[in-house]
Amino acid sequence: RAKKEGRNCSCFFEQAMDLEARKRHQMEIDMREAVREGQFLLNYQPLFSLEKNRVMGFEALVRWQHPLRGLVSPAEFIPLAEDTGMIVPISEWVLNEACQRAGQWPDDIRIAVNLSPVLFKNAGLPLLVMQALDKAGLKPNRLELEVTESLFIDNIERTTAMLNALRDCGVRIALDDFGTGYSSLNYLRSFPFDKIKIDKSFVDDLATDISSQAIIGAITALASALGMETIAEGVEDKDQLEALRAQGCSNIQGYLFSRPVGIELVDAMIADMRYTQAEPGEAAEHGRARRV
Ligand code: C2E
Ligand code: MG
Ligand code: MG
Ligand code: MG
């Protein structure tokens, strides 16, 4: 009897697996169509400098406008895009679109773009980046490429060579989600990043947890000794902000200041920022970036 139940159980499990596989297969078909039909869009989240008290740039975050499922988050489709190689045409679109938009912004506002480790397997990556800059007429130092520590797992020499080739194009390189990988300090030694993005997980309990505070203090000290900028991601409340300030972190990104927004709000945000700079007494309007 137990055996029979066991079999039923595994049968149910297999059916569930089958369903999962079919869903995945359908998503893959849909994704090919999405690339052909241009179903992707970018949201932009401001990167805010506490020292300069202004927006320094925006991070481009991709979304998939699925005809049936609505907005699909990158956490859901990027892994599959990486497995199937679809990440290459998607990233090409993201890079071009982001650079094109940033080309319309004031000179002192940067655009940050996330790069999947999969792209680093292709020797043509620097050319792809240069072409995107060229087409948009964007100065290389206004583009910041965000990479994660997982990039280094494969081959540290090849990775650093590629990062150097990218840096030679004049773009900036940021280390994203810092602190969540395996031996972060080693990566800092192998490549001189322009910026370290402190992972949200350290920010979450910052207001109450002394060890998170100590870790952030140490990261900012380390970064400044290495000549790297720091930015904390996922900043949601004032207590976190004050703790970050106290630990010497000079840039923040998070819902406290603004959620990622559509391109139509970016121009307003940039204009609004100019306005509040000229008139420091004025509060930002609703639906726009909050003043911190
Ligand atoms: P990421 O690069 O670490 O981006 C930050 C993520 O944190 C974004 O999620 C953003 O919406 C979210 N976030 C920002 N502030 C807050 C906050 O205060 N609270 C909370 N709870 N979340 C916050 P999103 O847009 O869903 O992107 C998730 C990840 O998907 C990104 O993490 C990045 O790894 C990847 N991704 C996004 N766009 C692209 C892309 O164009 N190419 C590649 N390869 N990956 C991308
Ligand atoms: Mg990022
Ligand atoms: Mg991040
Ligand atoms: Mg993150």
Side-chain angles (χ1 to χ4, degrees), residues 176-178 180 198-201 233:
D176 204 352
D177 302 335
F178 181 77
T180 56
I198 303 168
D199 191 65
K200 179 179 184 301
S201 55
E233 56 178 35

Side-chain angles (χ1 to χ4, degrees), residues 96-288:
N96 279 298
E97 173 75 7
C99 290
Q100 207 69 49
R101 296 296 184 176
Q104 316 294 311
W105 302 342
D107 264 352
D108 53 3
I109 301 206
R110 288 192 198 116
I111 180 77
V113 175
N114 294 283
L115 287 191
S116 160
V118 173
L119 300 178
F120 282 71
K121 296 199 194 315
N122 180 351
L125 179 60
L127 186 65
L128 204 77
V129 170
M130 283 205 289
Q131 282 171 340
L133 290 166
D134 211 46
K135 269 187 273 182
L138 191 72
K139 279 205 219 97
N141 65 2
R142 290 184 54 204
L143 175 63
E144 192 162 75
L145 301 174
E146 297 192 2
V147 301
T148 56
E149 294 165 340
S150 64
L151 188 61
F152 290 91
I153 293 172
D154 248 16
N155 180 332
I156 207 161
E157 280 86 35
R158 204 184 54 191
T159 295
T160 25
M162 183 66 98
L163 287 173
N164 278 311
L166 288 168
R167 169 70 69 61
D168 289 344
C169 302
V171 301
R172 293 162 50 89
I173 315 277
L175 185 53
D176 204 352
D177 302 335
F178 181 77
T180 56
Y182 289 101
S183 79
S184 319
L185 295 182
N186 202 28
Y187 309 141
L188 292 187
R189 199 169 52 158
S190 51
F191 186 77
F193 292 92
D194 296 283
K195 184 190 269 184
I196 293 175
K197 299 193 76 169
I198 303 168
D199 191 65
K200 179 179 184 301
S201 55
F202 295 103
V203 175
D204 283 340
D205 52 3
L206 190 54
T208 50
D209 182 23
I210 304 177
S211 48
S212 285
Q213 287 171 19
I215 289 170
I216 292 203
I219 295 175
T220 54
L222 179 67
S224 116
L226 294 170
M228 302 176 188
E229 250 181 76
T230 45
I231 182 165
E233 56 178 35
V235 183
E236 293 180 350
D237 62 50
K238 280 241 169 203
D239 292 342
Q240 293 168 341
L241 170 71
E242 290 320 320
L244 286 162
R245 241 197 256 273
Q247 296 303 329
C249 184
S250 46
N251 299 280
I252 60 155
Q253 173 179 10
Y255 296 173
L256 173 67
F257 187 70
S258 168
R259 288 188 177 247
V261 297
I263 187 67
E264 67 285 355
L265 280 179
V266 172
D267 288 340
M269 216 181 255
I270 291 173
D272 188 52
M273 184 181 84
R274 304 269 138 190
Y275 177 70
T276 52
Q277 263 189 308
E279 305 268 337
E282 291 294 319
E285 307 226 333
H286 54 277
R288 307 240 176 109

Side-chain angles (χ1 to χ4, degrees), residues 16-30:
M17 282 294 286
D18 194 45
L19 190 68
E20 226 12 77
R22 262 186 292 170
K23 259 171 66 183
R24 211 180 125 94
H25 183 62
Q26 186 58 48
M27 187 139 130
E28 193 181 328
I29 293 170
D30 290 357

